[in-house]
């Protein structure tokens, strides 16, 4: 992805069902360590459970919690539908 233009990287991420978030909530801070690609389902879970923060470490923890919850939900659906 490093050799692709910024626009191409954005399209690549969107095509795979991911969105980019700013860990510290500052949409002007484009430092790579402040960006995270999460799924739309993870973003939904983070919004529902108020897991976004101005503290990047707290947001990273929120991402992990959302990822865990969405994985559990997916596995439960797989078990129910055989």
């Amino acid at each position: 992805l490093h050799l692709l233009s910024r626009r191409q990287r954005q399209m690549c991420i969107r095509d795979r069902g991911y969105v980019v978030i700013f860990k510290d909530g500052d949409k002007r801070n484009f430092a790579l360590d402040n960006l995270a690609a999460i799924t739309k389902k993870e973003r939904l879970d983070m919004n529902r459970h108020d897991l976004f923060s101005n503290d990047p470490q707290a947001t990273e923890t929120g991402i992990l919690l959302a990822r865990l919850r969405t994985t559990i939900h997916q596995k439960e659906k797989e078990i129910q539908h055989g």
Side-chain angles (χ1 to χ4, degrees):
L1 284 177
H2 286 64
L3 299 175
L4 299 175
S5 73
R6 183 174 161 192
R7 179 88 171 123
Q8 288 171 320
R9 285 192 302 264
Q10 288 173 338
M11 294 304 293
C12 208
I13 288 169
R14 268 188 255 154
D15 288 347
R16 293 183 181 152
Y18 286 83
V19 294
V20 175
I21 64 163
F22 298 87
K23 294 178 192 176
D24 67 358
D26 181 357
K27 294 183 179 174
R28 295 171 294 167
N29 182 358
F30 288 94
L32 288 178
D33 63 343
N34 187 48
L35 303 176
I38 62 174
T39 66
K40 292 177 182 178
K41 289 181 181 181
E42 291 165 350
R43 181 181 61 182
L44 177 63
D45 186 80
M46 289 183 73
N47 281 323
R48 283 183 176 164
H49 297 282
D50 197 27
L51 297 175
F52 286 101
S53 173
N54 291 333
D55 176 2
Q57 290 179 326
T59 300
E60 287 179 15
T61 302
I63 292 168
L64 293 174
L65 287 169
R67 194 161 287 157
L68 178 62
R69 268 200 288 270
T70 56
T71 301
I72 289 170
H73 179 74
Q74 181 64 34
K75 295 298 179 186
E76 288 174 341
K77 280 177 58 176
E78 290 173 11
I79 291 169
Q80 287 175 357
H81 299 300

